[in-house]
Amino acid sequence: MSILFNENNQQFHIQTKNSSYIFCVSDFQALEHLYYGKRIPQDDVKYIGNRQIYSHLGYESRDKRDFSASVLGMEISPFNAGDIRVPSVVYNYDGKVDCNRLRYRSHTIYEGRQPIDGLPYSRVSAETETLEVVMSDDENTVEFTLYYVVYADVDVIARHQTIKNKGTMSLSIQKFTSMCVDFYGSDFDAVTLEGIYLYEKAHVSRAPIKRGIFKNNSLTGTSSHNHNPFLALCEHNADEDKGEVYGFNLLYSGNFSGEVSVNQLGDTRVLTGIDDTGFCWTLKSGEELTSPEAIMTYSDQGLGGMSRNFHDHIRQNIIEKEFAFAPRPIVINSWEASYFTVSEDKVLALAETAKDCGIDMVVLDDGWFRPHDKMGLGDWRTIKDKFPSGIKGLSEKIHAMGLKFGLWLEPEMVNEDSELYREDPKCILSTSRLPLISRSQYVLDLTRDDIVERIADRISEELEGAQIDYIKWDFNRYLTEAGSYTAAQGEVYHRQMLGAYKLLSILKQRLGNVLFETCSGGGGRFDLGMLFYSPQIWTSDNTDPYARVYIQYGTSYAYPVSAISCHFTEGECTSGRPSSYDFRYRVAAFGSYGYELDLSKYGAEDRAAFKSYSEQYRKDEDLNLNGDLYRLISPESDKFCAYIKVSKDKKKALFTFLELNATGFIECMTLRLKGLAPEKLYRNEETGEILYGATLMNVGIRIGDLYRKKREDGYMVAFTAVEE
Ligand code: DGJ
């Protein structure tokens, strides 16, 4: 049992493998948070007392001034109910706010979990257990259910909540987060992933939290290139391997917010959920609203431990089970090879060469239904001159060549120059005037079910009978001036996200057992919401390998390497910076691997090199799918980057060292490996040298020894445990 309830003192104890999360039904039926941290024995939980300290703020009892919402940890904290910290929910009933103090009513504990209708969620696993706690105001008009879904083996607790209008008048919600966690004290650094288009999540930002409010959010209608729903709090001295870290993330792809606030007592509150800017949702009598799911994890093994918990949870419980641990196709994507000049002949030529390069799948990117980006989105009509066999015919030809076939779509958008827009100019998100144009396109109003169905039907009809194995689902602009002719303004951004998830679900279901890769102008929607539908995500339109090192390394803090889609490309197209083939391969092999270049320009020698890279990747792929990642040197050193992937049984490891801008004499440098078994002997598969894990991890390997080869190629070597 990972969820325990002590009747005597009304305490809940959620135990995962290494953590304890404890709260209680307090005096006056509040839900008081008591502890989150390293696991403690159940017998001692009763010693964790309530924090009833003298308060000059509002208190419940007339006799004692010690029960004040302002000084207690709270599992849910409405505005205007005595807690003066940043509220986790803001609402009013019938235009009034006088009934906001919430009381515990009941709870249930059960094995497994319920799915969340219309939203992504962590899937059920053998050990999953759920705690539901029902709270309501004194009049029982506004009811909340708080869900704690426990994944004990990976130290993750998933949380969401529902709010229900049980009264007869209308309930208006202005803020509705997914999760509230209070910590006593504020000795933490906040860690977030910052970036921009072409440099997504490349900067791992870390700073001590201070009194006041730190907010990490997006108002773009996407999780964005600029910020990411991932957020961590760690001890000031925590590093990759040691120190306490609390990691948070959200299964949501729209406007989000992670808020860390420190109050006058120096206590810290963390909230994550839908951003409340412009949010206003109305519930009529009997209606309810469910928040997106947040996940949280605790590790005393530093940021590396936190990442590995998240990686395991995402692979085991968020990504679809049939794809999560299965080898991924090595793709050749037509985009950087041909951009909009793509044609059936060019795709078939790519396919012809692909076979010599160890490639499994040809992906037809943008350009099959339009000659440039100013038309065609929304109509999805194949250009017959360029693709005389249609998508069905082309997919059959590719399959006949022994390859798989993938196709690019951007279903949430419409060009002004399209039948759909001409017929129904109200099909887009807009206010009273036209929104800003971006990449010559508008965002379809997916709050409207008829638009969702129309797009799903049009695409299904166009692809009828085609043999499709993979879909690249793109999203190339942010939302601006988003309004709807049918949905209430304060509901548009969230309803739009619900519509997008619906469209994804419908097309996934119609297309059958297809691997999805989502994308948003590169990595603009790299989040857990998308990973629920697509096992991998295109990480960035920046394919310069030197830049990719930063982008991919940053992304790995929150997301497993198998989700990080990486291609071997011309390398210079975004930066003009030359790079060697080996370097490009070593960078791209960090995640799920593929190619994006005009293969017809490459001769037999190059193709043989590509083939050997593909074979090498396949040989090591299991470490991406199932292994553990240990980060060794951050590229933000601006000199090197190094990491090692280790199999769960510690029998195999793959070490990568990349030089970015090293100056001076580095031959004497040693680097300690991580994650190996100290007592096992490992063979360096390049030099044949055999050393104990203990030696490799404590003395380290000599970097000078690596440089018998060209420094600009970087270095990648497998270590294999020698059977005794
Ligand atoms: C943006 C994506 O990130 C690219 O890979 C490519 O698919 C283009 N869109 C196509 O328009």
Side-chain angles (χ1 to χ4, degrees):
M1 285 292 283
S2 48
I3 303 171
L4 306 161
F5 179 64
N6 183 332
E7 287 283 350
N8 296 330
N9 53 14
Q10 301 281 293
Q11 279 180 332
F12 294 97
H13 182 190
I14 297 176
Q15 276 185 327
T16 70
K17 196 168 61 177
N18 298 294
S19 74
S20 285
Y21 188 91
I22 301 168
F23 57 96
C24 68
V25 181
S26 204
D27 297 353
F28 306 99
Q29 280 68 55
L31 215 53
E32 181 182 348
H33 177 81
L34 298 175
Y35 174 81
Y36 186 26
K38 202 174 173 92
R39 180 173 160 137
I40 56 165
Q42 168 65 5
D43 283 353
D44 286 357
V45 168
K46 57 183 177 296
Y47 292 106
I48 301 180
N50 303 39
R51 196 202 207 198
Q52 299 196 356
I53 56 173
Y54 177 87
S55 169
H56 70 283
L57 297 162
Y59 36 92
E60 291 261 11
S61 163
R62 292 185 178 278
D63 311 323
K64 294 194 290 166
R65 294 176 60 162
D66 63 0
F67 190 88
S68 169
S70 264
V71 296
L72 303 177
M74 303 290 269
E75 289 298 306
I76 178 167
S77 182
F79 169 62
N80 208 13
D83 181 355
I84 56 165
R85 287 167 291 189
V86 181
S88 68
V89 288
V90 180
Y91 58 91
N92 53 63
Y93 177 70
D94 189 23
K96 301 186 187 68
V97 287
D98 61 353
C99 51
N100 275 346
R101 265 179 275 158
L102 297 174
R103 316 280 182 199
Y104 163 89
R105 301 295 174 202
S106 65
H107 77 266
T108 355
I109 297 171
Y110 52 89
E111 279 180 23
R113 68 161 299 161
Q114 300 300 322
I116 304 179
D117 197 22
L119 280 167
Y121 57 90
S122 303
R123 294 167 211 274
V124 72
S125 78
E127 293 183 33
T128 311
E129 278 179 43
T130 301
L131 163 65
E132 288 181 18
V133 184
V134 178
M135 314 273 295
S136 69
D137 56 9
D138 287 334
E139 290 75 14
N140 262 321
T141 39
V142 183
E143 183 180 274
F144 287 87
T145 306
L146 278 54
Y147 293 82
Y148 301 81
V149 184
V150 186
Y151 297 86
D153 54 333
V154 288
D155 288 319
V156 166
I157 303 172
R159 294 178 58 178
H160 69 281
Q161 56 177 332
T162 56
I163 178 170
K164 184 167 186 181
N165 182 355
K166 294 185 78 178
T168 50
M169 313 303 280
S170 97
L171 174 64
S172 163
I173 307 156
Q174 289 93 44
K175 179 171 185 175
F176 189 48
T177 60
S178 302
M179 174 214 84
C180 170
V181 183
D182 283 334
F183 294 92
Y184 296 138
S186 49
D187 284 337
F188 296 115
D189 288 346
V191 182
T192 53
L193 302 175
E194 305 300 324
I196 190 167
Y197 173 58
L198 297 179
Y199 215 47
E200 299 90 337
K201 295 167 275 307
H203 180 53
V204 181
S205 162
R206 176 170 176 172
I209 56 169
K210 295 193 254 193
R211 288 186 191 223
I213 305 171
F214 165 77
K215 189 164 176 174
N216 172 48
N217 72 335
S218 167
L219 299 178
T220 62
T222 70
S223 48
S224 89
H225 304 84
N226 315 324
H227 308 287
N228 190 268
F230 160 79
L231 165 73
L233 288 190
C234 62
E235 288 182 303
H236 299 309
N237 64 356
D239 59 20
E240 274 292 327
D241 312 301
K242 57 182 187 331
E244 295 195 301
V245 183
Y246 299 88
F248 305 94
N249 209 335
L250 195 65
L251 282 80
Y252 194 61
S253 315
N255 288 353
F256 74 87
S257 159
E259 284 175 285
V260 183
S261 54
V262 180
N263 72 355
Q264 74 284 359
L265 294 171
D267 291 337
T268 305
R269 168 166 290 174
V270 182
L271 302 170
T272 62
I274 295 177
D275 190 274
D276 59 346
T277 311
F279 179 83
C280 183
W281 195 281
T282 304
L283 293 180
K284 294 199 204 89
S285 175
E287 287 182 342
E288 61 181 51
L289 175 67
T290 302
S291 77
E293 178 172 293
I295 57 169
M296 55 188 203
T297 192
Y298 163 84
S299 173
D300 64 354
Q301 311 282 303
L303 289 158
M306 172 210 69
S307 295
R308 287 185 290 280
N309 287 352
F310 275 152
H311 296 176
D312 284 341
H313 179 66
I314 294 165
R315 292 183 299 197
Q316 289 175 30
N317 305 315
I318 294 182
I319 294 177
E320 292 154 284
K321 307 239 182 226
E322 65 264 47
F323 293 115
F325 300 104
R328 304 290 165 79
I330 298 178
V331 306
I332 171 82
N333 180 297
S334 68
W335 183 241
E336 287 189 21
S338 314
Y339 296 102
F340 285 107
T341 70
V342 72
S343 66
E344 179 169 320
D345 287 347
K346 285 188 183 174
V347 174
L348 290 173
L350 266 189
E352 200 52 61
T353 330
K355 289 194 296 184
D356 300 340
C357 303
I359 289 168
D360 310 302
M361 180 188 282
V362 180
V363 177
L364 170 54
D365 207 283
D366 199 352
W368 57 272
F369 60 95
R370 58 176 180 175
H372 47 70
D373 66 9
K374 293 192 172 36
M375 62 180 291
L377 283 175
D379 293 346
W380 300 107
R381 297 201 191 283
T382 313
I383 304 178
K384 276 285 160 77
D385 291 350
K386 286 166 84 180
F387 292 90
S389 318
I391 297 302
K392 178 170 178 291
L394 176 62
S395 70
E396 284 162 1
K397 288 183 185 176
I398 300 279
H399 275 255
M401 293 162 87
L403 291 160
K404 293 183 172 167
F405 178 70
L407 188 70
W408 180 94
L409 295 172
E410 193 180 2
E412 297 157 80
M413 300 287 170
V414 66
N415 285 118
E416 220 165 23
D417 187 359
S418 65
E419 283 164 40
L420 173 56
Y421 183 73
R422 275 187 289 274
E423 260 175 44
D424 179 7
K426 292 185 177 170
C427 68
I428 61 169
L429 287 179
S430 63
T431 51
S432 50
R433 69 195 87 79
L434 269 184
L436 296 170
I437 193 94
S438 179
R439 213 199 184 209
S440 311
Q441 65 199 48
Y442 297 123
V443 185
L444 282 169
D445 182 353
L446 302 180
T447 73
R448 282 174 55 182
D449 276 348
D450 62 319
I451 299 285
V452 170
E453 276 152 29
R454 181 169 173 166
I455 286 292
D457 289 349
R458 179 76 277 277
I459 291 174
S460 316
E461 197 186 312
E462 191 68 15
L463 304 184
E464 176 82 55
Q467 298 177 14
I468 294 176
D469 306 286
Y470 159 110
I471 290 288
K472 179 175 171 190
W473 182 291
D474 210 340
F475 185 93
N476 279 304
R477 64 157 292 176
Y478 291 147
L479 276 57
T480 66
E481 302 130 292
S484 164
Y485 286 91
T486 49
Q489 185 58 47
E491 301 183 3
V492 167
Y493 275 85
H494 182 50
R495 283 197 187 280
Q496 178 70 12
M497 213 51 251
L498 295 175
Y501 289 140
K502 189 170 187 180
L503 184 55
L504 257 163
S505 306
I506 295 175
L507 279 168
K508 271 177 79 71
Q509 202 235 334
R510 290 201 191 157
L511 289 165
N513 193 31
V514 168
L515 175 75
F516 271 58
E517 173 163 325
T518 46
C519 170
S520 173
R525 253 189 346 193
F526 206 120
D527 56 63
L528 297 178
M530 285 296 143
L531 283 177
F532 180 78
Y533 300 95
S534 72
Q536 55 194 56
I537 301 179
W538 182 232
T539 316
S540 180
D541 277 353
N542 190 342
T543 57
D544 163 51
Y546 285 98
R548 271 293 186 127
V549 170
Y550 292 78
I551 296 166
Q552 295 168 185
Y553 198 89
T555 306
S556 79
Y557 277 79
Y559 305 100
V561 293
S562 57
I564 300 175
S565 179
C566 311
H567 291 174
F568 181 116
T569 69
E570 298 277 354
E572 292 152 33
C573 73
T574 25
S575 66
R577 181 168 32 186
S579 51
S580 77
Y581 277 14
D582 276 357
F583 188 80
R584 284 185 231 173
Y585 168 70
R586 284 164 187 166
V587 173
F590 184 75
S592 285
Y593 181 68
Y595 296 86
E596 194 151 330
L597 30 76
D598 183 356
L599 289 174
S600 67
K601 291 204 299 215
Y602 295 83
E605 206 179 314
D606 289 328
R607 292 179 196 182
F610 299 155
K611 184 159 196 214
S612 82
Y613 292 141
S614 300
E615 286 168 356
Q616 183 64 46
Y617 172 75
R618 259 307 166 243
K619 207 157 123 267
D620 299 328
E621 188 182 18
D622 190 49
L623 291 168
N624 276 12
L625 297 168
N626 293 294
D628 284 325
L629 175 74
Y630 292 83
R631 290 178 293 260
L632 303 175
I633 307 179
S634 163
E636 293 200 71
S637 68
D638 277 340
K639 289 194 169 78
F640 316 105
C641 174
Y643 41 87
I644 185 167
K645 298 167 185 167
V646 185
S647 64
K648 293 274 181 200
D649 63 7
K650 309 273 185 204
K651 286 188 176 162
K652 188 178 170 194
L654 186 66
F655 166 66
T656 306
F657 182 87
L658 303 164
E659 191 169 317
L660 303 171
N661 186 23
T663 47
F665 188 70
I666 58 164
E667 274 69 9
C668 300
M669 178 182 170
T670 54
L671 180 60
R672 295 171 175 197
L673 302 187
K674 293 178 191 168
L676 303 173
E679 73 291 355
K680 280 195 196 304
L681 277 167
Y682 289 92
R683 183 191 307 107
N684 177 323
E685 292 298 348
E686 193 172 298
T687 63
E689 191 172 36
I690 294 178
L691 291 167
Y692 278 103
T695 311
L696 292 165
M697 291 195 293
N698 293 304
V699 178
I701 57 170
R702 281 186 292 267
I703 296 301
D705 290 353
L706 314 182
Y707 283 120
R708 294 194 192 102
K709 295 195 166 178
K710 284 190 288 169
R711 284 173 67 155
E712 67 266 29
D713 287 348
Y715 182 79
M716 187 184 236
V717 66
F719 288 88
T720 316
V722 180
E723 300 299 335
E724 281 140 277

